[in-house]
């Protein structure tokens, strides 16, 4: 039996594989990648590599074995039909008779367009009959802290989220939940609503940035339309800019602010506060 991680060289996938290496022998881990070169560090530690692509169904033929536990990390190609891509993995997992397929989904409360592909994938997974675990990941701290350059340059946090709050956590926290499910027992056919232990608002975020940088940084709430234009002007494709702006509208509605405790219960530790992620980014 192997633990198989798709998208293993992505931001989240790397965290998952590293944490798995702390819990299980390397030869029990298979990292599914598009490029072996990008996973050379994993191979050097004894992790098995499998080259496959969501856009090429034949590359998943025979990749899984009966009894495997699989983590399907959602794809990031929004223009290539993500539900169809994910079904390639689900079908291969069903045909192999895997013991569990865990999927990184979106919060059940999220009504933004970003959630559409996740809902479609969940439906396909439940219809497949494969034992599943839905890891409904909330927003990542890094969605904000990895984009500090313009914030620090303009001394402003600009969002379209009004006074909405975000119960975010670090990628490493969400990876820890996935590892707990992949290495533990009793997670079959379970749904976990994952997020941070504390919800925060963007005025608080700006104040924390001010405190840590010594600069006066303010929060400027704008309309969804204005934020979409700002993101597009920054170089994001217009459809993706609209999707991200739509998430801000969901934040204003309170759809990403629920604190469920599922994440810290799965990992057995508190989630990473946004202030810690800010500090880590400023020190990097």
């Amino acid at each position: 039996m192997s633990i198989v991680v798709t998208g293993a060289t992505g931001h989240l996938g790397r965290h998952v594989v590293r944490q798995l290496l702390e819990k299980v022998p390397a030869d029990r881990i298979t990292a599914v990648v598009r490029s072996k070169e990008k996973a050379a560090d994993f191979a050097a530690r004894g992790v098995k590599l499998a080259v496959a692509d969501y856009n090429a169904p034949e590359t998943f033929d025979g990749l899984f074995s009966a009894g495997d536990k699989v983590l399907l990390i959602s794809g990031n190609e929004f223009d290539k039909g993500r539900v169809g891509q994910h079904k390639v993995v689900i079908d291969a997992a069903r045909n192999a008779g895997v013991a569990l397929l865990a999927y990184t989904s979106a919060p059940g409360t999220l009504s933004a367009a970003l959630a559409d592909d996740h809902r479609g994938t969940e439906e396909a997974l439940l219809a497949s009959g494969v034992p599943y675990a839905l890891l409904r990941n909330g927003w990542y701290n890094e969605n904000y802290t990895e984009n500090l350059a313009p914030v620090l340059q303009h001394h402003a946090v600009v969002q379209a989220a009004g006074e909405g709050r975000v119960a975010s956590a670090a990628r490493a926290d969400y990876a820890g939940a996935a590892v707990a499910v992949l290495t533990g027992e009793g997670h079959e056919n379970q749904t976990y609503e994952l997020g941070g232990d504390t919800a925060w608002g963007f005025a608080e975020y700006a104040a924390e940035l001010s405190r840590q940088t010594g600069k006066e940084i303010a929060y400027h709430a704008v309309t969804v339309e204005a934020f979409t234009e700002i993101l597009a002007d920054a170089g994001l494709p217009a459809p993706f800019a609209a999707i991200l702006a739509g998430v801000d509208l969901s934040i204003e509605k309170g759809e990403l602010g629920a604190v469920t405790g599922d994440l810290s219960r799965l990992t057995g530790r508190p989630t990473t506060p946004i202030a810690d992620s800010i500090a880590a980014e400023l020190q990097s």
Side-chain angles (χ1 to χ4, degrees):
M1 185 275 287
S2 291
I3 295 175
V4 186
V5 180
T6 74
T9 54
H11 290 303
L12 180 62
R14 282 195 166 277
H15 279 291
V16 171
V17 174
R18 288 171 188 149
Q19 292 187 41
L20 279 172
L21 284 166
E22 297 172 4
K23 292 201 167 190
V24 298
D27 62 4
R28 281 189 55 205
I29 305 168
T30 298
V32 181
V33 299
R34 291 183 181 180
S35 165
K36 283 190 174 182
E37 289 72 23
K38 291 183 179 179
D41 54 329
F42 291 154
R45 297 185 64 179
V47 174
K48 298 176 182 176
L49 302 184
V51 178
D53 188 323
Y54 295 154
N55 298 304
E58 68 279 2
T59 61
F60 280 90
D61 291 346
L63 197 155
F64 304 129
S65 299
D68 283 352
K69 291 185 177 181
V70 178
L71 176 64
L72 169 54
I73 295 180
S74 58
N76 59 7
E77 296 176 314
F78 293 87
D79 59 339
K80 291 189 177 180
R82 291 198 297 168
V83 176
Q85 290 179 326
H86 299 158
K87 285 183 70 176
V88 167
V89 181
I90 293 168
D91 290 346
R94 182 194 62 226
N95 293 338
V98 305
L100 180 74
L101 193 154
Y103 171 64
T104 60
S105 192
T109 52
L110 187 64
S111 64
L114 182 70
D116 292 348
D117 288 346
H118 293 296
R119 296 290 91 84
T121 301
E122 288 188 5
E123 291 171 4
L125 179 53
L126 268 62
S128 73
V130 174
Y132 66 86
L134 299 181
L135 306 177
R136 289 179 169 170
N137 288 357
W139 224 219
Y140 299 163
N141 290 349
E142 291 88 346
N143 288 345
Y144 303 104
T145 61
E146 287 182 350
N147 297 290
L148 288 182
V151 173
L152 300 181
Q153 178 184 352
H154 299 290
H155 293 197
V157 172
V158 180
Q159 300 286 154
E163 296 182 4
R165 303 179 71 76
V166 183
S168 65
R171 281 197 191 99
D173 299 328
Y174 293 107
V179 169
V181 166
L182 293 167
T183 60
E185 300 297 333
H187 299 291
E188 294 81 3
N189 305 330
Q190 298 296 312
T191 299
Y192 299 103
E193 297 286 348
L194 305 177
D197 293 334
T198 305
W200 51 269
F202 286 97
E204 296 168 62
Y205 177 64
E208 183 61 27
L209 282 169
S210 299
R211 185 186 72 79
Q212 292 199 31
T213 63
K215 300 178 179 182
E216 284 297 323
I217 297 173
Y219 169 43
H220 297 295
V222 298
T223 65
V224 170
E225 292 76 18
F227 191 48
T228 302
E229 187 173 338
I230 289 169
L231 294 174
D233 288 345
L236 288 182
F240 189 45
I243 287 173
L244 288 184
V247 172
D248 267 27
L249 181 59
S250 286
I251 290 173
E252 185 174 25
K253 293 177 182 176
E255 295 175 3
L256 285 176
V259 176
T260 68
D262 280 0
L263 182 49
S264 52
R265 278 192 292 269
L266 276 175
T267 62
R269 60 179 183 268
T271 61
T272 305
I274 188 68
D276 288 8
S277 291
I278 290 171
E281 184 63 23
L282 291 174
Q283 292 164 11
S284 65

